Amino acid sequence: MTTITSPATIPSVKELERSARKSTRTAFRALFLRDLTVLRKSLKEFLPRTLLQPFLLVFIFTYVFPKIGQGVGGSGAAAAEFSTRLVAGVIGLSIMFQGIQSVALPMVQEFGYTREIEDRVLAPMPVALVAIEKVISGAFNGLFAALLVFPIAAIVPATPVHLDINWPVLLTLAPLACYMCGALGLTFGTRFDPRTVPMLFGIVVLPLTFLGAIYYSWSSLAPIKWLQVFVLVNPLVYMCEGFRAALTTSEHMSLWAVYPVMIGFSALFTWLGISGFKKRVLS
Amino acid sequence: MSASVEQRPPGVGSGPDEVIRTEQLTKVYPGDIRAVDGLDLSVQRGEIFGLLGPNGAGKTTTAGMLTTRVIPTGGRAFVGGVDVVAHPTAAKQVIGVVPQTNTLDRALTVWENLYFHGRFFGMGAKTSKTEATRLLEQFRLADRAEAPVLALSGGMAQRLMVARAIMHQPAILFLDEPTAGLDPQSRIALWDILGELHAAGQTILLTTHYMEEADELCNRLAIIDRGKLLALDTPAALKQSVGIDAMVTVTAAGDLDQLANVLRDEIPNATTVDHSDGVVRMGVRQIQGVLPKVVEAAERHGFSVSDLSSTEPTLETVFINLTGKDLRE
Ligand SMILES: Nc1ncnc2c1ncn2[C@@H]1O[C@H](COP(=O)(O)OP(=O)(O)OP(=O)(O)O)[C@@H](O)[C@H]1O
Ligand SMILES: [Mg+2]
């Protein structure tokens, strides 16, 4: 065996506390780099899982239905209005799926019997920031997914889609939505028993999506008042309405409601996620 | 200060050379499980220090507290002079850890596991690359560089975890039962690695429940059970402390209680006599001429001795003496 290098001498406590800042920054970046590498290596799975659902949604609702005369929203102008509205919903949906898939699902393994997350928890940075890094990388996954889905939603529909992009709203709302969903993923991944996380899709994500103002705008629920009020607990509603404001001229919930509520949800999920994460990795 | 001061061999004490220190360190898990109970330890720079104890003794919990993953419920712990509870990020900069379970990153290849670990600890891309490659060579894993970690055997995974833990040149290396589940060959290979690290001045804290490992590797040993420190010294001093020259084991049929009494009465050199698992164990001060007397006394009282052996005191003897029970249940 070749030589083993001699170990470093120990810096003074003061020096270590001073260098903790720098080691945190470097470790945070390295964790993100690790996640990017995992994303790059799993692109083969990432692409179909990201693209298939939005493609099918858009294809069936805005291509097949109009062609077979079973249009949702009627025909002509109304059908076009529906396609336009669906674009925003599909993007919101993709971001939320990404948040859960890229943050919550890997935790099943990471917190599993072998606790492979441990080596990352031992990186020289605060544990809370290891959790935040997961949210940020989940948000990045969501942004990437949204970029991929956007062309599908705009091109596939048989009826014309009228986009009218409000850039300031889009450029602030998209990162906020991605962050919120990353934090939602962290909350799910840490607050649920790892073994039940895969079940999340059936019992939590499905209702979230069907009651998430993806296929309809929130205001159009007015005839069913109780439902309109009930779905207000669903973060996806605010995202889809926000994207409607950012991308279309369709009617949408006031941005004065969308932004504060999304910021509130982000803070809540971040807090729930970080404390859940700490509970899992520290004992 | 506490009793641990008197237990320190001459020249060992707090000061610039003390790299691990615990003061009344305690962990009570929910359900009032006292995993670690008022532990006082002091480890010096360059030492291989062993925590020896049976399953559930509190070894992993102690290592966990020293490496920031378990939050103590009482007392204090320092690594490299840093309070691990108050400044975990500072503490994490100076330690390397090989946990009891396989914590390799399964989303990455063997080589990537090392590469990213280096990056986590602030190594540049280039240094991290060359170090990862060099370590794989050194730990004879180079041919597996591109393999997923799931494809490694248990021994290979263990080697990779050791490589990962020393990659960032930690001042203190923690290994939690590093040789559990390894075949004898891999165990000796790992002992060699630890020996080399020790020769290079590495401070190592190692937990184990293998007596031979503790005896072979450790400069000093803490024997713990139920979270409490039972003894702390060099392996040689621990063995001497039992105050016997040999341990005589007698296998015979019949009432062993009675046989033990007979031997206690008739063998003047015997210090301790007890029996369990169908054998009588007897600590003896002067072994010369004792064995024939044992056979003679036993047969005179109607016992037929089917096996008789004498061994030098081992850490096992020490352990039995301290706890009254066998380490290997
Ligand atoms: N997370 C936990 N929650 C509750 N109790 C725990 C936890 N971890 C350990 N314990 C308990 O604490 C005690 C000490 O456990 P620990 O893992 O430290 O022992 P050990 O000496 O490492 O044993 P082994 O040789 O089996 O690895 C045991 O009684 C164990 O059941
Ligand atoms: Mg253990």
Side-chain angles (χ1 to χ4, degrees), chain A residues 283, chain B residues 29 33 35 54-61 100 177 209:
Chain A
S283 49
Chain B
Y29 284 112
I33 301 167
N55 289 138
K59 304 182 295 292
T60 299
T61 306
Q100 191 167 5
E177 309 224 5
H209 61 262

Side-chain angles (χ1 to χ4, degrees), chain A residues 131-195:
Chain A
I132 293 286
E133 188 280 331
K134 286 198 155 286
V135 175
I136 302 286
S137 99
F140 181 83
N141 275 248
L143 208 56
F144 186 39
L147 280 175
L148 289 175
V149 166
F150 191 71
I152 298 184
I155 292 163
V156 174
T159 49
V161 174
H162 302 295
L163 292 183
D164 180 10
I165 298 178
N166 181 339
W167 284 104
V169 174
L170 184 64
L171 291 181
T172 49
L173 192 92
L176 178 60
C178 291
Y179 180 89
M180 183 180 82
C181 290
L184 179 73
L186 184 69
T187 301
F188 280 178
T190 57
R191 291 277 161 173
F192 288 86
D193 183 328
R195 281 163 306 175

Side-chain angles (χ1 to χ4, degrees), chain A residues 58-249:
Chain A
V58 174
F59 180 66
I60 298 295
F61 281 114
T62 68
Y63 183 85
V64 175
F65 276 15
K67 290 271 181 197
I68 63 177
Q70 219 190 68
V72 182
S75 57
E81 169 66 18
F82 174 77
S83 304
T84 307
R85 229 183 292 134
L86 191 64
V87 173
V90 163
I91 289 174
L93 182 68
S94 304
I95 292 175
M96 196 192 63
F97 261 76
Q98 224 33 254
I100 291 170
Q101 251 160 345
S102 65
V103 183
L105 287 191
M107 286 185 175
V108 178
Q109 183 167 316
E110 291 170 342
F111 292 148
Y113 180 68
T114 63
R115 299 164 64 86
E116 62 173 79
I117 189 85
E118 212 156 80
D119 189 53
R120 277 166 273 164
V121 171
L122 283 169
M125 65 196 287
V127 173
L129 284 175
V130 180
I132 293 286
E133 188 280 331
K134 286 198 155 286
V135 175
I136 302 286
S137 99
F140 181 83
N141 275 248
L143 208 56
F144 186 39
L147 280 175
L148 289 175
V149 166
F150 191 71
I152 298 184
I155 292 163
V156 174
T159 49
V161 174
H162 302 295
L163 292 183
D164 180 10
I165 298 178
N166 181 339
W167 284 104
V169 174
L170 184 64
L171 291 181
T172 49
L173 192 92
L176 178 60
C178 291
Y179 180 89
M180 183 180 82
C181 290
L184 179 73
L186 184 69
T187 301
F188 280 178
T190 57
R191 291 277 161 173
F192 288 86
D193 183 328
R195 281 163 306 175
T196 63
V197 167
M199 264 162 50
L200 276 181
F201 277 88
I203 54 175
V204 183
V205 179
L206 212 59
L208 281 183
T209 54
F210 275 96
L211 301 172
I214 294 169
Y215 317 100
Y216 43 80
S217 69
W218 179 73
S219 57
S220 65
L221 284 179
I224 321 172
K225 200 75 199 167
W226 66 269
L227 188 62
Q228 194 182 27
V229 174
F230 176 67
V231 300
L232 286 178
V233 300
N234 184 350
L236 191 57
V237 168
Y238 304 89
M239 278 172 64
C240 293
E241 292 290 315
F243 277 117
R244 247 162 231 142
L247 298 172
T248 72
T249 52

